[in-house]
Amino acid sequence: MLSYVGMKLKEFNFGSALAKAHLTPEEQQLLADLRRRKAELLQEIQQLKDEIAEVAAEMETMEMVDEQKANPKSKQMTIGRKKFNMDPKKGIEYLIEHGLLKDTPEDIAQFLYKGEGLNKTAIGNYLGERNDFNQKVLHSFVELHDFTDLILVQALRQFLWSFRLPGEAQKIDRMMECFAQHYCKLNPGVFTSTDTCYVLSFAIIMLNTSLHNPSVKEKPSAEQFISMNRGINDGGDLPQELLISLYDSIKREPFKIPEDDGNDLMHTFFNPDREGWLWKQGGRYKSWKRRWFILNDNCLYYFEYTTDKEPRGIIPLENIQIREVNDRSKPNCFELFASGSDVIKACKTDSEGKVVEGKHTVYRMSAATPEEKEEWIKCIRQSISHNPFYDMLAARKKKAQKTANSRQ
């Protein structure tokens, strides 16, 4: 009806424009009255539209309230997801207690695989846990991925997008072992053993880092990638065409690493291994600045103030060592220094707020008391790690070689 009125008004407006020049004063007055009536009708139409929109909004609100009253599970699911992002184990327990998840590896794996509202760092940490139940969840989670007829790099892209690899070597080892078994099961005949698939998967991950990390100055060539993977196929070599295609794929397109909403950082700082004030010596200018340090997840974070939400700098405790030192200007000193002649892989924010790569070979810190110094050294020493990729890769290559020798 409203559209019909509008159409008629348009017709009248067009006709009146043609005849206006020939109208008498009485007819012109009638035309003015009609135009006024037209304006009133249009205003009434707009009021009707506004009232309809208002009623629709009220009905939608009432439906949402009714839905929440009738379905409190929706609210509980939201709470469960938030709990999972802060503490995966407690989050899963909460969801099971409220009947939102079955206490089975298959149901929990499906929940993690869908990943709605879940922090992917938390998913990775939960899947990497050592206990039997978590490992069953991991197997169920991996089996939800369909790698059939995918080349290895495509399967890795899919797998590594569904969660974030944790930092612990043992967790990574379990997850990549499970991936290799599932890939070989779905693609029989591609590799002679799961060990070959495992080693090559790590080689691809390492290649991705080497080709696309700005801090790596010398990029490996395809020939170096081929050489690196000699003898991994039960003592034999993989087809050169396969290795070149894998290299070209990674060079063209790096792995997409899922980004989280910041809950992983909040989780890191929520329950640290150690935190407190230390004095840190500058690199170029050897002045001392007081910084708030947080030690967790094999990293040392430092802040200007305890209330800062983001760290001023991050020092990964990878391939470095720690030692006590004497300093004339400060007591209770210790140093972090790079193994060999490498620069420590650290980053910080400059005066303009830009993230820049650190160029330190040594970080010198000073504690308030000898006791605090000893405690910091002890805790940092426990967190220091070597690159897990290289350690695990070397161990798996030895295993593959032993298997090959035993068959000969």
Side-chain angles (χ1 to χ4, degrees):
M1 178 183 141
L2 296 179
S3 59
Y4 175 78
V5 172
M7 182 179 67
K8 288 301 180 185
L9 286 170
K10 286 180 181 177
E11 290 175 358
F12 178 81
N13 191 51
F14 177 75
S16 64
L18 292 175
K20 184 177 180 181
H22 308 288
L23 294 179
T24 65
E26 291 78 10
E27 289 171 333
Q28 288 182 9
Q29 180 60 45
L30 178 60
L31 178 61
D33 292 340
L34 285 170
R35 285 177 173 170
R36 179 179 49 79
R37 181 57 183 153
K38 172 188 172 183
E40 290 173 354
L41 279 170
L42 289 174
Q43 188 175 3
E44 289 176 9
I45 291 169
Q46 187 58 48
Q47 287 175 349
L48 282 170
K49 286 182 178 179
D50 292 342
E51 288 176 9
I52 291 170
E54 189 175 339
V55 170
E58 288 179 2
M59 290 175 66
E60 187 177 347
T61 302
M62 289 171 66
E63 287 173 1
M64 289 176 63
V65 171
D66 290 341
E67 184 181 351
Q68 287 181 356
K69 288 180 179 178
N71 186 19
K73 297 292 185 184
S74 177
K75 185 176 181 180
Q76 291 172 348
M77 177 60 80
T78 301
I79 294 171
R81 289 184 179 128
K82 288 181 179 179
K83 284 182 177 289
F84 178 88
N85 291 340
M86 289 298 294
D87 188 321
K89 183 179 178 182
K90 289 182 179 178
I92 294 295
E93 288 173 353
Y94 175 89
L95 292 168
I96 291 172
E97 286 171 6
H98 289 81
L100 297 167
L101 278 182
K102 296 177 184 176
D103 193 7
T104 65
E106 294 77 15
D107 202 46
I108 295 171
Q110 188 71 241
F111 170 71
L112 300 179
Y113 182 73
K114 288 179 180 178
E116 295 175 6
L118 300 184
N119 178 287
K120 292 197 174 185
T121 300
I123 295 174
N125 284 328
Y126 184 84
L127 292 172
E129 289 296 335
R130 186 177 182 179
N131 66 69
D132 292 341
F133 186 81
N134 286 62
Q135 291 195 45
K136 289 177 182 177
V137 175
L138 171 62
H139 280 272
S140 296
F141 177 86
V142 174
E143 287 173 0
L144 291 170
H145 293 77
D146 186 6
F147 301 140
T148 307
D149 296 329
L150 295 182
I151 63 171
L152 185 60
V153 71
Q154 292 172 330
L156 278 170
R157 289 187 195 281
Q158 183 189 136
F159 185 58
L160 296 177
W161 180 252
S162 60
F163 65 98
R164 292 190 74 171
L165 276 174
E168 296 178 33
Q170 294 85 356
K171 288 185 177 182
I172 298 173
D173 183 59
R174 284 190 289 272
M175 298 169 92
M176 296 307 296
E177 170 74 27
C178 194
F179 164 82
Q181 290 174 352
H182 187 54
Y183 181 85
C184 290
K185 178 183 175 182
L186 296 179
N187 299 278
V190 175
F191 300 110
T192 55
S193 71
T194 57
D195 284 336
T196 302
C197 181
Y198 174 103
V199 172
L200 185 57
S201 297
F202 265 113
I204 292 170
I205 293 172
M206 292 159 62
L207 175 68
N208 181 78
T209 303
S210 299
L211 287 178
H212 300 288
N213 189 330
S215 65
V216 178
K217 304 304 179 186
E218 295 184 9
K219 306 299 183 185
S221 64
E223 291 73 23
Q224 287 173 318
F225 182 66
I226 293 169
S227 177
M228 173 185 174
N229 289 288
R230 285 207 174 101
I232 68 171
N233 196 25
D234 274 358
D237 293 341
L238 290 165
Q240 185 168 312
E241 298 78 17
L242 169 66
L243 295 175
I244 290 175
S245 69
L246 295 173
Y247 178 92
D248 289 341
S249 177
I250 291 296
K251 187 174 182 179
R252 281 194 310 270
E253 183 183 358
F255 285 130
K256 292 180 180 178
I257 305 301
E259 295 182 3
D260 280 319
D261 57 7
N263 286 334
D264 50 337
L265 270 185
M266 184 168 65
H267 180 68
T268 294
F269 301 145
F270 185 72
N271 188 26
D273 295 331
R274 183 168 178 80
E275 60 183 335
W277 290 104
L278 290 171
W279 289 89
K280 185 181 80 69
Q281 190 178 58
R284 183 179 301 177
Y285 306 104
K286 300 301 181 182
S287 58
W288 291 89
K289 293 183 179 179
R290 193 168 180 253
R291 294 287 183 255
W292 179 260
F293 279 80
I294 289 180
L295 173 65
N296 207 6
D297 289 344
N298 302 111
C299 279
L300 198 57
Y301 306 84
Y302 59 90
F303 303 76
E304 190 168 358
Y305 306 104
T306 57
T307 53
D308 288 348
K309 293 182 179 180
E310 295 182 1
R312 287 293 303 273
I314 304 174
I315 308 171
L317 301 177
E318 182 180 296
N319 297 327
I320 65 172
Q321 299 179 49
I322 188 170
R323 63 193 172 200
E324 294 185 50
V325 291
N326 292 319
D327 192 294
R328 292 180 180 179
S329 59
K330 284 284 182 183
N332 311 313
C333 287
F334 60 91
E335 283 183 344
L336 302 176
F337 62 101
S339 301
S341 58
D342 295 335
V343 173
I344 295 175
K345 298 175 183 178
C347 62
K348 63 178 181 178
T349 53
D350 62 14
S351 57
E352 298 177 354
K354 296 179 182 178
V355 177
V356 295
E357 183 183 348
K359 300 187 182 300
H360 290 257
T361 56
V362 172
Y363 281 90
R364 179 171 291 190
M365 269 79 81
S366 168
T369 65
E371 293 76 20
E372 285 190 23
K373 178 193 70 174
E374 293 298 328
E375 191 61 30
W376 273 107
I377 290 174
K378 175 186 172 184
C379 291
I380 291 173
R381 192 164 278 150
Q382 289 172 346
S383 292
I384 286 175
S385 65
H386 297 285
N387 192 316
F389 288 149
Y390 292 98
D391 293 341
M392 288 185 292
L393 190 60
R396 193 54 65 107
K397 278 186 175 180
K398 286 181 181 178
K399 181 182 175 184
Q401 192 62 49
K402 284 182 181 179
T403 303
N405 292 338
S406 65
R407 290 175 180 170
Q408 293 175 356

